[in-house]
Amino acid sequence: IIFLVIFALMIVLPYGAAAMMGGEHHVFGGFLLNPLDGNSYLAKMYQGAEGGWRFTLPFTPEPGEGAYIFLFYLFLGHLCRLTGIPLIWMFHIWRVTGSVFLLIVMRRFFLFLFADDGKSAWRALLLAGIGSGMGWTVFAFEVMTGDFWVAEAYPFLSSYANPHFPIGLGLMLLILLFAMEGKKDYWQLVVMALLLGIIMPFGVAVDCMIFAGLAAVDQIKKKKVNYLPLILTGVFGGAIIAYQVGVTIWDPVFSAWNAQNVTPVTAWWDLLLSFSPVLLVAIGGVWLSRKDMLETKAFVLVVWLAGAMMMMVLPVNLQRRFVLGLFIPAAGLGVYGSKKIAEHFKFNRDRLYKIVLGLAVPTNVILLLAGVLGALSKNSSIYLTRAEHEVMLWLEAQPGECLVLADPKLGMFVPGHSGCRVMYGHPFETVNADKEEEKVESFYSGGLSVEEEWGYLVDNGIKYVIYGERERALGNPKV
């Protein structure tokens, strides 16, 4: 309970500080880590708050017919409509609640894996909960490794970023526990697979990979194999994925959006540094116990880690999505490995664990401090000026649909804070993003003739043009 409270305070207090630091001239936008995606989630919630279940792209002038995707954030928006809770409050309520849910499930997960060693279970929970990689060692050289921004891989970073990552990771672990504990109420597995498919679709792929790997090993060992967890997770969770994939193929708007949604895995040295020291200790421990590792419950962590590494080299545009929760098996094996290494080399086990934990924490400390420093400097990616905030409130009060032209960086805020669409606001969710951003900048910089500027406004059906500090920094349009 003490750990849960401390963890919750760690992921809440920087946001509270940023909200209070706005002063008279600035308003906190609500996001400290990856505000680009944070504002896109808020825009999705806004559509739900307006009663919609069919998502349309809010960062592009032609939204299309929409589809039943991003249902989790649409659902949160509906909750806001029913309860009157502001969007950003609902987002963070579920973020913190989801984080507590993840920690509770992780505790149960590690207690199952280390049933005969409660000390190791607790250490695995602590390391997985607050640990990260060693990107801090190169941070001073302005090198930003994955442990600073690939939020879905790390429980702490996931909890700091949004609600769907920790909830999705918790569901992944629950599904694994269901199978490993040999439960037979398969309707529970079906429900969890459907929820995982809706909230975090790639989690279904990772769980199925783990089930397939375990089944293959059991088949080789000629043990009785239970394929039902794999089949049910794949069929019901996969049905959600199949619909989403179909949408990105057959809907021209979502197809153009998906073509830009490229998330390659980081470089090998980045990956190694981002998961060290736990990865190195994990590999060492697994090697030392390779003869009897197959017979331990912790073998599932080996399958998860090795399988994810193989999936990350698949020739697809979304390789990085397969790192979902990867620090969880790395941390578990890191604790397991530190124990085996200490036994083999007659080293103090407690001291080795403390060294690993000490090296794994600084990155997250830097992240927390960076959020506070960003707030102190009134970073324009996380703050609106008071005038910009008033513009958002005014736009929100206008009747009917509206398409807004704004500075590309301000366009990130517009849909989630006003409900209006923008010509450009997101490098993935704006269709033909590079061209649209270039057109917006050309308009504000005065690079177009008067006739071209009027044609741009009229042809696109732009209803409102924002011209504030950010736009003046780009130049002066001629109209």
Side-chain angles (χ1 to χ4, degrees):
I1 292 173
I2 293 172
F3 179 56
L4 285 177
V5 172
I6 293 173
F7 187 90
L9 289 174
M10 289 171 66
I11 64 171
V12 168
L13 289 180
Y15 285 88
M20 291 187 291
M21 288 179 185
E24 296 181 3
H25 305 293
H26 294 86
V27 176
F28 181 47
F31 306 100
L32 289 174
L33 182 68
N34 195 356
L36 186 66
D37 283 351
N39 279 283
S40 77
Y41 301 141
L42 204 64
K44 295 170 177 67
M45 291 175 63
Y46 203 109
Q47 293 186 13
E50 291 186 321
W53 283 108
R54 200 176 179 97
F55 171 72
T56 57
L57 291 174
F59 295 95
T60 199
E62 295 295 336
E65 296 182 0
Y68 298 104
I69 57 178
F70 298 112
L71 293 178
F72 173 66
Y73 284 108
L74 293 172
F75 166 72
L76 294 189
H78 279 273
L79 286 184
C80 293
R81 178 173 56 86
L82 294 173
T83 62
I85 297 174
L87 296 179
I88 196 63
W89 278 92
M90 185 66 74
F91 180 93
H92 288 296
I93 287 170
W94 277 75
R95 181 176 67 84
V96 176
T97 303
S99 303
V100 172
F101 165 70
L102 172 58
L103 287 180
I104 291 172
V105 176
M106 275 205 306
R107 176 179 179 272
R108 181 179 156 192
F109 181 70
F110 286 127
L111 281 172
F112 175 81
L113 296 184
F114 299 104
D116 58 340
D117 188 355
K119 190 175 185 178
S120 289
W122 161 247
R123 287 180 167 182
L125 174 64
L126 185 64
L127 183 57
I130 64 172
S132 186
M134 290 180 62
W136 58 272
T137 58
V138 295
F139 181 76
F141 303 102
E142 298 184 356
V143 177
M144 194 70 69
T145 50
D147 48 340
F148 281 98
W149 59 274
V150 184
E152 59 267 42
Y154 308 87
F156 182 84
L157 207 53
S158 293
S159 302
Y160 194 60
N162 60 57
H164 78 275
F165 281 164
I167 293 174
L169 292 177
L171 286 170
M172 284 175 60
L173 295 179
L174 278 181
I175 289 173
L176 293 177
L177 274 170
F178 181 96
M180 291 188 297
E181 291 174 346
K183 293 183 178 179
K184 302 299 182 182
D185 297 328
Y186 287 108
W187 65 269
Q188 296 179 13
L189 182 61
V190 169
V191 171
M192 289 189 292
L194 287 170
L195 287 174
L196 183 58
I198 291 169
I199 296 172
M200 200 168 68
F202 278 89
V204 174
V206 173
D207 267 357
C208 286
M209 174 272 293
I210 297 170
F211 284 145
L214 292 173
V217 172
D218 285 344
Q219 191 70 55
I220 293 171
K221 293 164 62 179
K222 297 183 178 179
K223 286 186 176 181
K224 185 179 180 181
V225 181
N226 181 8
Y227 290 103
L228 267 178
L230 170 60
I231 294 171
L232 294 176
T233 303
V235 169
F236 289 93
I240 306 295
I241 297 175
Y243 170 75
Q244 295 180 353
V245 171
V247 166
T248 61
I249 293 174
W250 303 112
D251 186 287
V253 174
F254 285 115
S255 178
W257 157 64
N258 190 58
Q260 302 174 143
N261 190 20
V262 179
T263 53
V265 71
T266 55
W268 68 266
W269 63 266
D270 188 326
L271 198 66
L272 179 62
L273 193 60
S274 296
F275 285 92
S276 293
V278 295
L279 183 61
L280 299 178
V281 176
I283 293 172
V286 170
W287 175 255
L288 290 174
S289 59
R290 60 191 180 279
K291 293 182 179 179
D292 51 30
M293 188 74 199
L294 277 172
E295 305 304 323
T296 67
K297 292 179 179 178
F299 181 67
V300 65
L301 302 178
V302 177
V303 174
W304 186 347
L305 195 62
M309 293 293 183
M310 289 188 288
M311 292 174 77
M312 279 188 278
V313 298
L314 293 175
V316 295
N317 290 336
L318 302 171
Q319 295 168 325
R320 201 175 69 236
R321 300 303 183 193
F322 298 119
V323 304
L324 283 174
L326 196 60
F327 195 72
I328 297 174
L333 287 174
V335 171
Y336 178 88
S338 64
K339 180 180 177 181
K340 294 297 180 182
I341 291 172
E343 291 174 352
H344 184 79
F345 292 102
K346 303 296 187 290
F347 194 77
N348 186 286
R349 173 190 173 189
D350 294 343
R351 186 177 301 170
L352 180 57
Y353 172 78
K354 289 176 182 177
I355 291 172
V356 172
L357 182 64
L359 293 173
V361 168
T363 291
N364 288 336
V365 174
I366 292 173
L367 274 167
L368 295 177
L369 292 175
V372 176
L373 291 175
L376 286 171
S377 65
K378 300 301 182 291
N379 188 298
S380 61
S381 293
I382 61 179
Y383 280 100
L384 292 162
T385 65
R386 183 67 60 178
E388 289 169 344
H389 178 65
E390 291 174 357
V391 167
M392 298 301 146
L393 296 177
W394 184 86
L395 287 171
E396 188 177 34
Q398 303 311 302
E401 294 185 1
C402 61
L403 178 60
V404 174
L405 180 63
D407 168 82
K409 293 180 181 177
L410 183 60
M412 171 183 71
F413 291 96
V414 173
H417 290 264
S418 73
C420 293
R421 286 182 290 112
V422 286
M423 289 299 298
Y424 175 87
H426 199 285
F428 294 156
E429 296 188 22
T430 299
V431 176
N432 298 320
D434 292 339
K435 291 182 179 179
E436 293 298 339
E437 183 180 17
E438 183 180 348
K439 289 178 183 177
V440 170
E441 291 177 346
S442 295
F443 177 90
Y444 281 113
S445 66
L448 304 177
S449 66
V450 174
E451 292 77 14
E452 287 173 329
E453 287 182 355
W454 276 114
Y456 180 66
L457 296 174
V458 174
D459 293 344
N460 287 289
I462 296 171
K463 195 171 184 179
Y464 301 109
V465 178
I466 296 177
Y467 192 69
E469 291 182 16
R470 301 183 203 237
E471 290 75 19
R472 280 194 292 273
L474 290 176
N476 297 296
K478 296 182 175 67
V479 295

